[in-house]
Amino acid sequence: MSAEISVLPSPRAPAVEAPHLDGLNAAQREAAAFGLVAPHGWDADPLLILAGAGSGKTQTLSHRAAHLVLAGVDPRRILLLTFSRRAAGEMTRRAHAICAAAMRTSHRRAPAVRLPWAGTFHAIGARLLREYAPRLGLEPAFSILDRGDAGDLMDVARHDAGLAARAKRFPRKDTCLAIYSATINQQARLVDVLANRFPWCVDHHDDLKRLFADYTMRKHDRATLDYDDLLLYWSQVMQVPALAAEIGGRFDHVLIDEYQDTNNLQAGLIAAMKPDGRGVTAVGDDAQAIYGFRGATVEHILDFGQRFCGTHTVTLSQNYRSTQAILDAANTLMDDASRAYAKRLFSERGAGCRPRHVTVLDSTAEAGYVADAVLARRETGVALRQQAVLFRNGHHANELEIELIRRDVPFRKYGGLKFLEAAHVKDFLALVRWADNPRHEIAAWRAMQLVPGVGPGTARQAMDALAAANDRLTALAAFRPPRADREAWRGLIDIVARLAARPTAWPVALAPAATWIKAAVADRYEAPTTAREADIDDLVRIAGRYGDAPSFLTELTLDPPQATGDHNDDALLDEDYLVLSTVHSAKGQEWDSVHVLHVADGTFPSEFATRTEAGLAEERRLLYVAMTRAKNELALISPLRYYVPEQPRYGDRHVYGAASRFLTPGVLACFEPVVAGDITPATPQARPALGGRPAATHDLAASVRALWD
């Protein structure tokens, strides 16, 4: 049984006459109106809102922001921190609508509720750092490295230090960056991070420490920060008492969405701004803490009341998404959690049909079952896009993808290549980044090497020439690359220099750069180029939403499109499509019907997560998130056997999967058992032989030879 964390009752604030809160249930209203009238508008002790899955978290936090404004709090003194720009925008939009409606009802003029300090942790960090840069020894126009550019700079430092030429294997750039990021975000010692997450790198501790110091210096010299630096530098600012008091004093209320997803840096920032917790409102659900691999830890929400004394806790238990039968299964799953807040989700939508636990023979049978079920549900009037197939890891859907293609069922998969990882997109952004910051070495290197004949050596010579010219881009027009296409070189320098010289002409000045990069892409990459050119056109269109290059580059880096097609119009898609998604990418989403693949020990939970109690606890929460995405129908699918990889094409070597340890008798009692197809293994004669060649039934070669007899 779980070790439940009980919430002690707190004195409740007196009822507030607030018609704008009438649409909320009792718990939501209590959370939105918590606090008392104060001389400056509204005062409140620390508030923790435990928002169960589908319980109206966004609605509640939006109403709280609106209630604060209507109570007299200056919107500029409200800091709203989220984990996505879309969440910040949606809450701001809702808060504005609530205030406008309340003002119309009372015949008063609606205040402009734009919540100017609403955004992601990283976006708010970037904004504060630019504002305070002169006092911190930073250049206000610093560039922000995306993950790819940060990895490239790490690789340059790695090669220059001679670490790549070692006889003994040294971590590659992506591993080095992952170690660096984990150390920063967990605020942990490098030696502990290596021991716990990268044990094979323990012997490289001293070299990695020197590498990270060099990497940090290189970023500073080039007026660049990476993604993790936005929080790290902000955190360092908050170590200065005067600056911490000044920044914390700018905000009367700090509202944090998805608090269970905070890492040590983020939780520390909140505590540094509001040491006593007054005005802090944290919303989250410990049962949905699934981002441990990013450095988040569930302990922050579990220990919120200990960090901020006098915390008032409100639990949102009414679920507006799922039927009670689905919630009963999810509640029972979390009953076995090792440590969690006590809460049970309930629904007023009715019991609904019981979720199904489906047993199939193997992954091939699983794919066939899901395709049949999805198409059958479609015939009942449920569109494909209202259905989803979720999985622990991307490769778990491989067989299903093949089956869907065979049956002409369109689908869209989430969790694949990100838009900004596409090579031609990075090429175009390199031009813009280099024009915005001539010292952005990684962007410059990538842009220069678009010119035929320019390699790393020539790029290094050009960067030295640029430094000697005090970073004047026009000076590179006189640089003569020894073996490059000099006409193309002059074209590149002219494009970048003109883009840098016309910051006020944004985004019109991007047009020549787009034309140049399209020509370069046509020569650099294989056909077809139409899709790549369309991506570049879309980037120019997206840039038009921003006032200048720094804001465009910052927002695109901090909140990029998730996939190459995400920014395109839905009219370009099929009339309908099935959603395939990893569970991590599905958080925050909902569908009428949900199928969860490979619910067996070793796959769900993942075998790599069962080594520690914390890892296993997070896997349980991950399954809980998957189950609570479903509104009306839920199916967990468990194949009986898995084929062993690296065997002949028609090989039959396999192992039998163990039942998922999460599917205890109590949990299974909430499910309808279903056996799909024949789960009796085929006889050896019915399957192809192990050697990869089926038994011959007719000697075709003999028949052909007989033609010449």
Side-chain angles (χ1 to χ4, degrees):
M1 296 297 291
S2 65
E4 293 183 341
I5 300 176
S6 299
V7 178
L8 297 177
S10 303
R12 298 198 176 191
V16 178
E17 291 296 330
H20 56 277
L21 302 181
D22 288 347
L24 305 180
N25 64 38
Q28 291 173 334
R29 183 185 178 96
E30 178 187 355
F34 176 70
L36 298 169
V37 176
H40 61 274
W42 198 257
D43 188 34
D45 289 329
L47 174 63
L48 175 62
I49 304 174
L50 294 173
S55 62
K57 165 182 68 69
T58 301
Q59 180 83 335
T60 303
L61 197 56
S62 301
H63 275 79
R64 177 150 183 80
H67 188 74
L68 292 174
V69 174
L70 291 169
V73 178
D74 186 341
R76 293 169 298 182
R77 297 188 63 81
I78 298 174
L79 175 60
L80 173 60
L81 293 167
T82 67
F83 282 86
S84 76
R85 188 178 62 181
R86 293 173 185 83
E90 175 64 14
M91 290 184 192
T92 299
R93 184 190 65 77
R94 291 193 190 190
H96 178 73
I98 295 165
C99 287
M103 289 299 182
R104 284 194 300 271
T105 302
S106 61
H107 304 289
R108 290 185 292 165
R109 182 176 177 272
V113 187
R114 296 302 178 191
L115 298 181
W117 286 95
T120 65
F121 276 90
H122 293 86
I124 296 297
R127 183 174 170 184
L128 286 171
L129 290 175
R130 290 196 193 280
E131 185 175 332
Y132 284 85
R135 299 164 61 179
L136 305 174
L138 293 175
E139 291 192 20
F142 61 79
S143 298
I144 301 174
L145 299 172
D146 64 17
R147 290 294 185 188
D149 287 345
D152 290 342
L153 183 58
M154 182 74 77
D155 206 27
V156 171
R158 178 175 170 272
H159 277 81
D160 288 352
L163 299 173
R166 295 282 181 88
K168 187 176 181 180
R169 179 179 62 144
F170 190 81
R172 298 293 298 271
K173 64 176 183 180
D174 291 337
T175 303
C176 291
L177 191 62
I179 295 170
Y180 172 85
S181 184
T183 305
I184 295 299
N185 286 293
Q186 296 176 23
Q187 290 289 274
R189 297 187 308 159
L190 176 59
V191 64
D192 294 330
V193 171
L194 294 177
N196 295 330
R197 294 188 54 185
F198 304 90
W200 70 273
C201 299
V202 167
D203 292 342
H204 300 296
H205 174 274
D206 293 344
D207 287 331
L208 285 168
K209 196 169 184 178
R210 286 190 291 270
L211 173 63
F212 296 158
D214 183 33
Y215 170 66
T216 300
M217 184 58 67
R218 286 171 184 262
K219 286 184 293 182
H220 182 270
D221 291 344
R222 292 157 180 78
T224 57
L225 300 180
D226 65 24
Y227 197 66
D228 300 313
D229 289 337
L230 298 175
L231 297 185
L232 175 63
Y233 278 55
W234 182 10
S235 175
Q236 291 296 309
V237 171
M238 302 304 287
Q239 303 305 311
V240 182
L243 289 175
E246 181 179 336
I247 293 175
R250 296 175 63 160
F251 307 106
D252 295 326
H253 293 270
V254 179
L255 283 55
I256 312 103
D257 186 28
E258 304 283 14
Y259 191 78
Q260 78 279 352
D261 294 336
T262 55
N263 58 36
N264 289 342
L265 261 179
Q266 291 160 332
L269 284 169
I270 303 302
M273 283 196 295
K274 298 293 179 184
D276 60 0
R278 298 199 68 78
V280 173
T281 297
V283 182
D285 182 10
D286 57 298
Q288 297 186 72
I290 61 173
Y291 294 115
F293 66 95
R294 295 181 183 171
T297 171
V298 70
E299 300 302 319
H300 292 146
I301 193 168
L302 294 177
D303 295 337
F304 186 87
Q306 298 177 26
R307 168 166 272 187
F308 299 112
C309 296
T311 292
H312 179 77
T313 303
V314 178
T315 302
L316 308 183
S317 299
Q318 183 172 353
N319 178 286
Y320 293 90
R321 175 187 300 150
S322 307
T323 60
Q324 191 60 50
I326 292 173
L327 296 181
D328 287 342
N331 287 332
T332 306
L333 173 70
M334 291 308 296
D335 283 343
D336 295 326
S338 57
R339 185 168 178 246
Y341 282 108
K343 60 179 177 296
R344 297 193 69 77
L345 300 180
F346 69 92
S347 172
E348 295 183 351
R349 293 190 54 223
C353 60
R354 293 172 67 195
R356 298 183 303 280
H357 175 239
V358 184
T359 302
V360 296
L361 178 61
D362 52 25
S363 57
T364 301
E366 179 181 58
Y369 170 80
V370 171
D372 287 339
V374 164
L375 292 175
R377 188 69 172 159
R378 177 176 177 267
E379 291 303 310
T380 66
V382 179
L384 291 176
R385 70 180 67 195
Q386 288 299 316
Q387 305 182 60
V389 181
L390 307 182
F391 30 86
R392 176 63 180 82
N393 294 313
H395 67 272
H396 289 165
N398 286 352
E399 293 238 25
L400 176 60
E401 290 183 50
I402 295 172
E403 182 67 13
L404 294 175
I405 292 171
R406 188 179 71 82
R407 299 198 191 195
D408 194 28
V409 177
F411 62 88
R412 194 172 188 185
K413 187 176 182 181
Y414 293 86
L417 179 67
K418 302 296 186 292
F419 178 59
L420 293 188
E421 293 172 3
H424 58 286
V425 172
K426 291 180 69 68
D427 290 341
F428 181 58
L429 291 178
L431 294 182
V432 184
R433 288 192 172 107
W434 188 22
D436 182 56
N437 178 5
R439 285 192 285 163
H440 196 317
E441 184 178 53
I442 297 301
W445 277 44
R446 186 176 193 103
M448 290 178 190
Q449 292 182 72
L450 292 172
V451 175
V454 173
T458 302
R460 165 57 65 192
Q461 295 173 23
M463 286 303 295
D464 291 342
L466 181 63
N470 295 320
D471 300 323
R472 285 187 302 105
L473 288 167
T474 52
L476 284 184
F479 177 78
R480 301 174 67 83
R483 289 180 295 276
D485 182 334
R486 294 183 179 177
E487 182 177 350
W489 173 264
R490 286 191 296 270
L492 168 66
I493 301 306
D494 179 62
I495 287 293
V496 175
R498 280 198 291 164
L499 189 57
R502 299 181 62 197
T504 59
W506 184 267
V508 176
L510 276 180
T515 301
W516 189 90
I517 200 72
K518 286 178 185 178
V521 163
D523 293 336
R524 187 176 180 85
Y525 301 108
E526 295 180 4
T529 61
T530 305
R532 296 189 180 94
E533 291 180 354
D535 285 339
I536 293 168
D537 289 337
D538 282 340
L539 279 172
V540 175
R541 176 178 54 81
I542 292 170
R545 304 173 189 169
Y546 302 93
D548 52 31
S551 59
F552 166 65
L553 294 171
T554 297
E555 292 300 325
L556 201 64
T557 302
L558 297 184
D559 189 28
Q562 292 301 300
T564 308
D566 280 5
H567 57 291
N568 289 331
D569 194 299
D570 281 346
L572 299 178
L573 300 171
D574 202 294
E575 63 169 354
D576 198 7
Y577 56 88
L578 178 67
V579 175
L580 310 185
S581 176
T582 61
V583 181
H584 287 101
S585 296
K587 187 170 177 290
Q589 305 297 317
E590 59 182 39
W591 294 275
D592 178 272
S593 304
V594 170
H595 293 82
V596 185
L597 303 182
H598 289 298
V599 184
D601 239 40
T603 52
F604 217 144
S606 167
E607 62 179 316
F608 301 108
T610 58
R611 301 168 184 170
T612 65
E613 183 178 340
L616 187 60
E618 183 162 315
E619 290 291 298
R620 179 185 301 278
R621 297 192 294 268
L622 194 63
L623 181 57
Y624 172 86
V625 168
M627 292 167 60
T628 53
R629 300 310 95 193
K631 295 180 182 179
N632 298 308
E633 288 203 351
L634 170 68
L636 306 186
I637 309 173
S638 300
L640 286 179
R641 65 183 189 177
Y642 293 84
Y643 292 103
V644 177
E646 298 182 5
Q647 61 174 312
R649 181 178 179 183
Y650 296 105
D652 192 36
R653 297 204 328 267
H654 60 268
V655 296
Y656 284 91
S660 173
R661 66 190 73 189
F662 298 147
L663 300 183
T664 62
V667 173
L668 286 176
C670 300
F671 286 79
E672 175 190 350
V674 175
V675 175
D678 184 5
I679 61 173
T680 304
T683 61
Q685 291 79 12
R687 284 189 60 84
L690 182 62
R693 180 178 298 173
T697 58
H698 181 73
D699 191 348
L700 187 61
S703 300
V704 173
R705 287 195 303 271
L707 296 175
W708 303 99
D709 288 343

